[in-house]
Amino acid sequence: MSLTFHWFLPTNGDSRHVVGGGHGTPATKSGRDRPPTVAYLSQIARAAEDLGFVGALTPTGAWCEDAWLTTALVSQNTERLKFLVAFRPGFVSPTLAAQMASTFQRQTGGRLLLNVVTGGESHEQRAYGDFLDKEARYRRTGEFLEIVRGLWEGKTVDLSGEHLRVEDARLARVPDPVPEVYFGGSSPIAGEVAARHVDVYLTWGEPPTQVAGKIAWIRKLAAQEGRSVRFGIRLHVITRDTSEQAWTEAERLLAGFDAETVRQVQAGLARSESEGQQRMLALHGGGNRDGLEIHPNLWAGVGLVRGGAGTALVGSHTEVAERIKEYAALGIEEFIFSGYPHLEEAYWFGEGVLPKLQAQGLWRHPYGQQVAPAAQVPFAGGGSAR
């Protein structure tokens, strides 16, 4: 088995500091250091492609650029990298979304993956004209995926649901291949939707014991539906030649969090309806700067200023590889990483960690290339960001 690695496109801006925001909070001013232009995002995408990442996740929400449009543009500057496009079912008709996905597949040579985001913040959803509560949003997501999957199979779909209704819906051309559906959620109803409809269940970077509990939960629900799903995890990463260098970088990032920004972000995230977000907040105590290493090499510092994924693997290349192996032993097959800045950190990880996993038979380059160990390859990302 070869583990699968994805990178991240910072469509909210990039920086040598953490760019905060998400889950109803705006991007912090550091996001203006490197604006999310198509040119810069294409640099990151090409680096990820060369290094052996399979895909790149793009976020969704008012804090960032639109994921569909941005990835469609960036795809024209890459050849093989897939795009894990985050989108919210309540904002687009299911028939139109199925058509958009089909078009994306044809125009990119089958390089679309879909990350379904139900939306955990009612105040943000209402800004887009969506006034359903959280439970209803998840029920609508289930109906949405039922329609979309039927259309992708070439069926004519009639559905009169609680929230969605289509009649005689069909696609002139189905996508080839059918995009895989990624999905995350920690509430009971999120588990039900995942078990019935998704290909890959995603969790944020919680400690291994908590991740193991989530995997067991979803596996049981999926088995009850006669299905099986794969599992992925979303983390940041700070990896260096030595552990000391990596933790020095983590401390540098932490020093850049001014107290007022942390207070404002934490106040905004505290009202989140997302159970997953509340689990992230609990890892650092809602703004506590002490005790942020919550498991060996697992650092909760990013979550002080950023919503959503708030933890990072921090350590030497060997240590980070060991933590990846620890999660893989639980059943995690796909890893979605990011780091600040995203261009440079892609090289640190791709040249430092991937060769170690390759040497142990846990990873192979998706395009058949060999990745040289970091000690034999000069760091390539430092001067090419601008």
Side-chain angles (χ1 to χ4, degrees):
M1 180 191 75
S2 176
L3 300 175
T4 298
F5 294 94
H6 306 282
W7 197 240
F8 185 84
L9 289 183
T11 58
N12 55 322
D14 202 6
S15 176
R16 293 182 182 275
H17 303 282
V18 174
V19 180
H23 273 259
T25 62
T28 50
K29 63 182 181 180
S30 55
R32 296 192 290 271
D33 293 351
R34 297 186 189 177
T37 63
V38 171
Y40 178 61
L41 295 175
S42 295
Q43 276 188 282
I44 298 171
R46 287 192 298 267
E49 186 173 74
D50 290 342
L51 290 164
F53 292 95
V54 169
L57 172 67
T58 51
T60 182
W63 69 315
C64 57
E65 299 289 353
D66 177 75
W68 283 104
L69 293 174
T70 303
T71 55
L73 292 165
V74 173
S75 72
Q76 302 308 295
N77 297 319
T78 54
E79 297 178 359
R80 296 165 296 195
L81 188 73
K82 296 181 181 181
F83 296 93
L84 183 48
V85 176
F87 79 107
R88 301 189 186 189
F91 298 167
V92 182
S93 132
T95 306
L96 177 59
Q99 183 183 17
M100 291 166 63
S102 185
T103 298
F104 199 112
Q105 288 296 67
R106 284 191 294 277
Q107 298 297 339
T108 64
R111 293 193 282 144
L112 176 67
L113 306 168
L114 287 179
N115 179 29
V116 175
V117 180
T118 296
E121 319 308 332
S122 290
H123 66 283
E124 186 181 21
Q125 296 291 124
R126 289 193 293 268
Y128 284 92
D130 179 15
F131 288 83
L132 295 182
D133 62 26
K134 178 183 173 182
E135 288 279 324
R137 290 197 296 270
Y138 273 107
R139 292 195 297 272
R140 179 180 59 194
T141 294
E143 294 176 4
F144 182 97
L145 289 173
E146 182 178 349
I147 294 168
V148 167
R149 284 204 176 277
L151 293 171
W152 285 345
E153 292 171 6
K155 298 177 180 177
T156 297
V157 179
D158 293 285
L159 185 142
S160 181
E162 179 185 0
H163 301 287
L164 298 175
R165 180 180 178 182
V166 297
E167 294 181 359
D168 198 29
R170 59 184 178 273
L171 294 180
R173 298 175 67 183
V174 298
D176 182 21
V178 171
E180 290 195 306
V181 175
Y182 292 65
F183 174 92
S186 299
S187 62
I189 193 167
E192 294 174 16
V193 172
R196 292 173 185 164
H197 298 290
V198 309
D199 299 299
V200 181
Y201 175 82
L202 294 175
T203 178
W204 285 325
E206 299 178 4
T209 53
Q210 296 180 31
V211 171
K214 278 190 171 181
I215 291 174
W217 168 53
I218 296 296
R219 274 183 175 158
K220 179 179 179 181
L221 291 176
Q224 292 171 357
E225 298 290 335
R227 301 183 68 245
S228 61
V229 301
R230 303 198 311 278
F231 295 92
I233 193 167
R234 170 78 178 97
L235 285 154
H236 306 278
V237 64
I238 304 171
T239 181
R240 294 294 186 270
D241 295 334
T242 68
S243 183
E244 181 181 11
Q245 290 170 347
W247 284 108
T248 297
E249 177 63 10
E251 290 298 320
R252 185 192 70 80
L253 292 175
L254 184 63
F257 302 169
D258 67 88
E260 180 57 21
T261 297
V262 172
R263 187 197 67 77
Q264 291 179 0
V265 171
Q266 292 303 306
L269 296 178
R271 63 176 178 170
S272 173
E273 298 169 8
S274 165
E275 187 167 328
Q277 182 61 71
Q278 294 306 316
R279 290 167 70 108
M280 282 282 103
L281 295 180
L283 295 179
H284 58 68
N288 186 4
R289 293 177 183 245
D290 299 321
L292 290 174
E293 188 178 7
I294 56 176
H295 181 78
N297 306 109
L298 183 63
W299 185 62
V302 177
L304 294 177
V305 295
R306 187 191 191 280
T311 53
L313 295 184
V314 181
S316 67
H317 305 314
T318 298
E319 289 170 334
V320 170
E322 287 301 312
R323 295 290 77 74
I324 288 171
K325 289 166 60 178
E326 185 175 6
Y327 282 113
L330 301 177
I332 297 293
E333 299 179 42
E334 303 198 20
F335 295 79
I336 304 173
F337 284 120
S338 57
Y340 300 96
H342 288 74
L343 182 60
E344 287 91 326
E345 287 297 336
Y347 281 102
W348 278 115
F349 183 86
E351 295 177 347
V353 179
L354 290 182
K356 294 186 177 298
L357 295 172
Q358 182 174 260
Q360 298 177 60
L362 295 172
W363 176 80
R364 61 179 179 271
H365 199 293
Y367 316 125
Q369 302 173 18
Q370 291 292 314
V371 178
Q376 300 175 19
V377 180
F379 174 54
S384 57
R386 297 286 183 176

